[in-house]
Amino acid sequence: MYSKIQLKLFILLLFLVLFLGSGILFVSQSHQRQIVAIADDQQKQLQVFIDDILNLKGRSLYTVVFDYTYWDEMVDFVKDPWNEEKIRWARENMGGALATYSVQHAWILNKKKELVFDIHEPGVTPVSFPLFSTAFPSIFSGGNFGHFYFWDEEGLLELRGATIHPGSDIVRKTPAQGYFFVARRWNAIFVGELAHLLGGKVTLAPLSANVSVSDARDSSANKISDKMYFTREFKDLGGNPIAVLTVERPFMLAGYAEQFSKGYRRFYAGVSIAFVIVFFLFGFFWISMPLAKISQALYSEDQVALKRLSRSHSEFGRISELIIRFFKQKEKLLKEIIERRRTQRKLKDAQTQLLQSEKMVAVGQLSSGIAHEIRNPLANIVLAVDCLRQEIPAANESVNRQMDIIQKSATRANKVVVELLNFARERHLNLEQISFNVMIGETLDLAESYIKAKKIAIQKNFYAGKEVFIHADRILVEQALINILFNAVDAIESQGMITINTFLKGAGESKTQEIVVEIVDTGRGMTSEIQKKIFDPFFTTKELGFGTGLGLSNAYMIFQRHQARVQVRSEAGKGTTFAITFPCQMG
Amino acid sequence: MAKKKVVIIDDEEDFCFLLSKLLESSGYFEVFLAYDGERGKNLVLEQKPDLIFLDYVMPKMRGDEILTIFKNDERIKRIPIIMTSGLGEAAYVAKIIQRDKGDHSLIGRLPLPRDLSREEALKLNQELGVEAFLEKPFSRQMLFQAIEKILGNLS
């Protein structure tokens, strides 16, 4: 049942599925890219945001360092830091600053970079701090302000420093009078605040020399991480990174991407399967099956199956219809051909018979004229001799003999003419219903002795069924048959056989049945030339004086008058068959 | 006994001569000859014969026209007629006569009619008014047989 067209359809289906797949893949990919773009965008935005937050958070530290270093009283303190009153001032103001600005430590150094005052938030572990002096150049390399970080056992410390100037010198033109440093501890609370502000998980970790700052973000574009990572490095005095702040924020869309991906895959799989099933069903019922039925029906020429198909309202239906019509035409044509052939055969038969009849009629016509012309003189001859006999009473033996001869000759001539006339004339038919086999039997009785005398074998194959009758003139028909038999005998030169077959013809078709008698001889046969002339009057293959050539003609005429058909089959050297077909009636 | 008068009407002179010779040599007959129908009729009227021999195939006057004339003429219709013909059996000729009505130019051209049965033949003879048919050639025996049948014993 799998027709080639199903294979082609299957290939088409594969293509369709591939197209669908690639379409879905494309959409999925572009979705992915969209999400990546969004992620990137978000990343950038968040980075800016995070930077802003960090800056914001660090702002206060800068403010304190800025504001408190263009202050006359600060200058005063630095000049005389051991003064108790000034120390009291410093404690008060610096303490306030610590509280106000959420700073944990502060140091003041004099012009000579010597530590003259330090203070820390109560409860906070004081920080033992390395000397600044050696690092000063780098701290203040950018100007009057410095910013760096320090990592100790407590964690990260953010430090800012500024040069001290009188209050009027906000721009810090004058040389530095001293140095002020503050430090903020990035403690858990601070980091917590950051985390809260940043809206993500914040981790602070020291950076060891051999650990490189890795981008925790998965750089592969295919998989979208559900987390976003941001980092900030903190550098120490020497400019080396000593800690890194990692902000982890969830990326919501990643989950969606994953879902989409899965969703797409499921959709694709489902649709493909449905496609295949539907396609196959359609293909099978709407194309494969009708096609198979049509080719099957065509193969076996089954019109019933086609008839069912032709009712379908589709091309297949139409095709089936056309095929049925084609078959019907074929049948019609075949019938016509058969009919035509039959007609041709009949025509040929009739023509042959007619030709024969016409020949005979012509002869008949000829005969009567000739007969008349010959018989009158013959009559004269006979009468003359009679007269002569009267006039020569004492005729001698010789004379008498001669007169006898004359009369006998005339009589003989007359006989020939009579035979001719008899042939030419239609004798009155004395019809009776006779059993066919009986008639054949009688004929054989008459001819048997002659046949056996010539040492010819006789074989009889007679029809053995229900008795058959023909309407015929017994004497004439038997005479005709004997003519044929004698012809057969004469055809056999030395030894041979004559077979007589009788059988029925045209069983059961119509009421008029026919019975056939065949006379087969193993004689010298006839060429087709001779066959054509065999029934012609006066035609004979015998030598002069051995027959008038009227026997078979006569027989043919007799058969014709009985509505019987005569057929000859012969091959030179192989023998001859005469077949005579009579219309008959069952007993 | 007086000789019987016989008229032979036949266009063949030789035949007439021979037949008359044969008849006269028997001693019973006096024969008169006519070679055509017209002269034959006149001869018959003149001689009032006891017997007429009439040939069927003759030029000029049609064969059975003569027959009809004779049969319609009161004076001669009772005279018995023997018809002669080279055409074949008696009945057959009678049939031809009936069909052709004496137009014997058709002989040799038309298909020959179906043969009559014996009964039909006799009936036809009677209708035509022909006593007997003699088929040419006939023997002396056949001739005198026919004559005696009509005229009775001759001796």
Side-chain angles (χ1 to χ4, degrees):
Chain A
M1 277 274 240
Y2 290 118
S3 57
K4 271 203 216 149
I5 202 167
Q6 181 127 18
L7 194 70
K8 288 182 186 151
L9 288 175
F10 183 67
I11 293 171
L12 173 68
L13 173 70
L14 276 178
F15 271 108
L16 283 173
V17 165
L18 275 170
F19 282 140
L20 181 73
S22 54
I24 287 175
L25 197 74
F26 176 75
V27 171
S28 161
Q29 290 284 61
S30 70
H31 231 109
Q32 198 99 331
R33 264 181 271 120
Q34 270 185 347
I35 288 175
V36 166
I38 291 172
D40 278 350
D41 199 52
Q42 252 199 357
Q43 186 104 9
K44 286 196 192 103
Q45 281 186 352
L46 281 173
Q47 188 74 62
V48 167
F49 170 71
I50 288 169
D51 289 345
D52 284 350
I53 297 290
L54 285 174
N55 287 342
L56 216 68
K57 269 305 233 196
R59 193 82 193 158
S60 55
L61 203 68
Y62 176 76
T63 309
V64 68
V65 126
F66 185 87
D67 284 351
Y68 279 47
T69 51
Y70 73 101
W71 202 4
D72 293 328
E73 272 149 324
M74 184 66 92
V75 171
D76 286 340
F77 174 75
V78 162
K79 279 188 179 149
D80 186 14
W82 311 117
N83 187 314
E84 259 188 55
E85 216 181 282
K86 292 220 167 80
I87 289 170
R88 236 192 341 264
W89 172 91
R91 275 215 180 96
E92 218 182 278
N93 282 285
M94 296 304 113
L98 289 182
T100 313
Y101 292 90
S102 312
V103 171
Q104 283 79 34
H105 307 270
W107 300 267
I108 303 175
L109 283 80
N110 63 13
K111 216 192 263 190
K112 288 187 210 140
K113 296 163 194 165
E114 291 162 345
L115 183 71
V116 296
F117 180 75
D118 79 281
I119 185 171
H120 56 82
E121 201 176 27
V124 167
T125 320
V127 173
S128 66
F129 211 67
L131 262 176
F132 300 100
S133 55
T134 45
F136 262 54
S138 60
I139 295 173
F140 296 102
S141 59
N144 298 22
F145 297 94
H147 185 203
F148 60 95
Y149 293 80
F150 186 70
W151 188 279
D152 64 8
E153 336 60 76
E154 298 279 331
L156 189 72
L157 211 58
E158 187 182 1
L159 296 110
R160 280 200 188 265
T163 49
I164 298 171
H165 301 269
S168 56
D169 185 17
I170 187 169
V171 296
R172 305 171 197 235
K173 275 204 298 228
T174 60
Q177 300 300 310
Y179 301 94
F180 179 51
F181 286 91
V182 289
R184 175 181 279 145
R185 171 73 62 188
W186 283 48
N187 55 21
I189 298 168
F190 186 70
V191 172
E193 285 168 5
L194 259 183
H196 183 75
L197 278 171
L198 292 173
K201 198 169 105 187
V202 174
T203 47
L204 200 54
L207 214 56
S208 36
N210 44 10
V211 173
S212 55
V213 178
S214 62
D215 196 338
R217 195 159 33 119
D218 194 328
S219 56
S220 67
N222 293 339
K223 189 172 189 307
I224 295 172
S225 170
D226 57 349
K227 292 184 175 51
M228 275 183 166
Y229 292 97
F230 305 86
T231 54
R232 174 67 85 87
E233 279 177 352
F234 299 112
K235 300 197 171 104
D236 69 359
L237 279 165
N240 307 311
I242 50 152
V244 67
L245 181 82
T246 311
V247 184
E248 187 191 286
R249 273 182 62 107
F251 183 45
M252 300 304 282
L253 282 181
Y256 291 140
E258 191 60 38
Q259 271 184 343
F260 268 135
S261 210
K262 226 181 261 172
Y264 277 130
R265 278 200 290 275
R266 284 211 198 109
F267 175 71
Y268 180 53
V271 168
S272 300
I273 289 169
F275 226 62
V276 169
I277 290 173
V278 169
F279 202 79
F280 262 106
L281 284 174
F282 271 44
F284 186 74
F285 284 111
W286 282 11
I287 297 173
S288 261
M289 258 177 55
L291 272 179
K293 274 198 207 149
I294 284 183
S295 57
Q296 176 72 31
L298 267 177
Y299 196 70
S300 60
E301 299 198 15
D302 179 6
Q303 288 202 34
V304 179
L306 278 174
K307 211 143 179 91
R308 265 184 281 124
L309 265 174
S310 70
R311 279 192 236 115
S312 145
H313 297 292
S314 70
E315 284 88 346
F316 292 126
R318 208 176 298 169
I319 290 174
S320 305
E321 228 183 273
L322 287 171
I323 292 173
I324 289 174
R325 215 186 292 173
F326 168 73
F327 277 135
K328 287 210 169 89
Q329 276 187 347
K330 190 176 98 152
E331 276 172 30
K332 214 166 70 154
L333 274 171
L334 278 174
K335 274 194 195 143
E336 266 185 44
I337 289 174
I338 291 171
E339 204 48 54
R340 199 169 291 182
R341 286 217 188 114
R342 206 182 292 159
T343 312
Q344 274 179 343
R345 255 185 283 125
K346 276 192 193 160
L347 190 66
K348 196 152 182 262
D349 273 346
Q351 277 175 340
T352 314
Q353 305 243 331
L354 187 66
L355 189 65
Q356 198 63 42
S357 302
E358 281 183 350
K359 282 189 203 172
M360 298 208 216
V361 164
V363 168
Q365 290 171 356
L366 228 54
S367 317
S368 52
I370 289 170
H372 178 261
E373 293 306 310
I374 293 173
R375 283 179 113 194
N376 270 328
L378 285 177
N380 289 350
I381 292 169
V382 169
L383 284 181
V385 171
D386 279 335
C387 288
L388 282 171
R389 279 196 214 271
Q390 303 284 55
E391 272 183 73
I392 314 173
N396 58 26
E397 215 180 287
S398 168
V399 171
N400 273 331
R401 184 148 173 226
Q402 284 168 69
M403 290 199 284
D404 283 340
I405 289 168
I406 293 170
Q407 278 193 317
K408 267 195 274 179
S409 303
T411 311
R412 214 172 99 194
N414 185 46
K415 269 218 183 90
V416 172
V417 176
V418 166
E419 203 186 317
L420 177 66
L421 276 180
N422 283 347
F423 162 77
R425 176 165 60 226
E426 280 195 352
R427 281 205 172 273
H428 169 73
L429 280 179
N430 219 358
L431 294 172
E432 55 177 323
Q433 196 89 328
I434 38 169
S435 159
F436 193 72
N437 279 357
V438 166
M439 185 192 68
I440 301 286
E442 281 177 5
T443 309
L444 272 175
D445 287 340
L446 291 167
E448 205 149 16
S449 45
Y450 179 55
I451 296 171
K452 285 203 176 129
K454 296 243 170 172
K455 304 249 179 22
I456 294 169
I458 303 175
Q459 192 184 53
K460 307 176 201 172
N461 300 319
F462 287 177
Y463 161 74
K466 212 166 164 210
E467 200 172 17
V468 166
F469 289 87
I470 60 166
H471 212 60
D473 182 323
R474 181 196 235 114
I475 296 170
L476 286 183
V477 173
E478 285 175 9
Q479 183 191 322
L481 287 170
I482 288 171
N483 263 321
I484 307 256
L485 270 171
F486 283 178
N487 191 72
V489 167
D490 291 337
I492 298 171
E493 264 152 48
S494 50
Q495 278 181 331
M497 183 158 81
I498 291 178
T499 311
I500 298 140
N501 306 317
T502 64
F503 51 87
L504 269 182
K505 201 178 179 189
E509 293 171 0
S510 49
K511 288 174 196 150
T512 52
Q513 291 217 357
E514 294 175 324
I515 186 145
V516 186
V517 54
E518 269 183 357
I519 295 165
V520 191
D521 70 64
T522 59
R524 69 180 84 90
M526 303 182 266
T527 62
S528 59
E529 287 300 308
I530 294 174
Q531 267 182 69
K532 279 188 222 160
K533 298 192 206 160
I534 196 73
F535 294 115
D536 287 356
F538 307 116
F539 179 80
T540 177
T541 57
K542 299 194 182 96
E543 289 167 33
L544 265 170
F546 285 91
T548 52
L550 287 173
L552 284 179
S553 289
N554 220 2
Y556 191 95
M557 255 273 242
I558 290 168
F559 292 135
Q560 256 205 329
R561 292 181 73 193
H562 287 85
Q563 281 86 51
R565 289 198 310 277
V566 185
Q567 282 154 330
V568 186
R569 286 194 305 278
S570 182
E571 211 178 310
K574 294 210 180 136
T576 307
T577 303
F578 281 91
I580 306 118
T581 312
F582 290 89
C584 66
Q585 298 88 43
M586 304 304 276
Chain B
M1 190 162 58
K3 285 188 187 169
K4 307 275 186 192
K5 282 193 200 163
V6 176
V7 167
I8 303 174
I9 308 171
D10 196 315
D11 63 314
E12 279 228 18
E13 287 178 33
D14 289 341
F15 179 76
C16 288
F17 166 71
L18 289 168
L19 185 58
S20 70
K21 196 143 169 58
L22 200 60
L23 287 169
E24 280 177 343
S25 66
S26 73
Y28 297 118
F29 300 104
E30 195 187 347
V31 181
F32 302 91
L33 304 175
Y35 301 126
D36 66 67
E38 186 63 44
R39 266 185 270 177
K41 185 181 95 178
N42 293 336
L43 195 55
V44 164
L45 282 168
E46 201 183 299
Q47 298 294 337
K48 305 250 176 9
D50 301 293
L51 184 62
I52 301 173
F53 281 90
L54 184 56
D55 187 36
Y56 175 63
V57 181
M58 281 196 292
K60 286 198 204 159
M61 199 181 259
R62 293 186 289 273
D64 79 309
E65 215 181 291
I66 305 167
L67 192 59
T68 319
I69 291 167
F70 284 9
K71 290 301 158 189
N72 288 336
D73 194 321
E74 278 299 320
R75 298 163 286 178
I76 52 178
K77 75 177 184 189
R78 263 166 241 106
I79 306 172
I81 300 174
I82 294 178
M83 189 159 267
T84 62
S85 176
L87 279 174
E89 267 187 31
Y92 175 68
V93 178
K95 188 66 184 168
I96 293 182
I97 293 171
Q98 190 190 41
R99 189 200 64 193
D100 295 341
K101 299 285 187 235
D103 184 359
H104 41 73
S105 65
L106 292 170
I107 287 173
R109 279 193 261 129
L110 287 174
L112 305 172
R114 185 184 67 82
D115 197 7
L116 297 171
S117 67
R118 188 125 188 81
E119 298 76 30
E120 279 175 309
L122 286 172
K123 195 164 159 244
L124 196 56
N125 285 354
Q126 280 177 350
E127 274 176 31
L128 292 170
V130 166
E131 291 297 327
F133 264 101
L134 274 178
E135 212 176 309
K136 288 186 197 175
F138 47 80
S139 62
R140 192 173 180 278
Q141 196 183 16
M142 281 166 70
L143 173 66
F144 282 100
Q145 242 175 22
I147 293 171
E148 282 189 352
K149 219 187 248 173
I150 296 165
L151 296 177
N153 237 305
L154 289 168
S155 42

